[in-house]
Amino acid sequence: LFKAQRAKELIPQHVATRLDELMQNCKENSKVHLGYPYNLNVSYDDLRPFFDFFLNNLGDAYAGSNYGINTQSFERETIDHFARMWGADALPQDALWGAVT
């Protein structure tokens, strides 16, 4: 995968080799993974276009940021969702805070 892109992307050979090793390890271990519960059947196709951007939620999601390429509105929606789930939505808005990683 990464070796094929090396010439186009100018990935140094040692980096391409390490990335190929990581990819192989992920594929092999995903076949037999037993342990921490998570779904291995995930498609990121809808999100892939956003991988071309450096999205960074600097600081408090409710205070805003001078870094314009962020997903703070999604972060606020997620925090508000959990606040409603846990009955914390009755609190004043300035009493809620959180971070999504």
Side-chain angles (χ1 to χ4, degrees):
L1 173 69
F2 294 100
K3 289 178 184 173
Q5 294 179 351
R6 184 175 182 270
K8 181 174 68 172
E9 301 289 335
L10 299 177
I11 298 173
Q13 183 60 47
H14 71 282
V15 173
T17 299
R18 291 291 289 135
L19 292 174
D20 285 335
E21 291 168 356
L22 174 61
M23 180 63 72
Q24 188 62 33
N25 180 276
C26 290
K27 286 180 179 181
E28 287 177 16
N29 287 302
S30 291
K31 294 176 190 175
V32 296
H33 180 76
L34 295 173
Y36 190 81
Y38 55 84
N39 186 350
L40 294 175
N41 187 20
V42 176
S43 171
Y44 292 103
D45 292 343
D46 292 337
L47 298 175
R48 200 166 310 284
F50 297 101
F51 294 169
D52 290 333
F53 301 99
F54 186 73
L55 300 169
N56 194 331
N57 290 353
L58 298 170
D60 185 339
Y62 291 95
S65 172
N66 63 358
Y67 188 80
I69 306 171
N70 65 67
T71 59
Q72 286 183 323
S73 63
F74 289 92
E75 188 173 25
R76 287 188 300 272
E77 289 175 27
T78 303
I79 294 165
D80 292 344
H81 171 77
F82 282 98
R84 284 189 303 277
M85 274 180 47
W86 295 328
D89 54 332
L91 295 171
Q93 185 65 45
D94 62 351
L96 294 176
W97 188 85
V100 178
T101 60

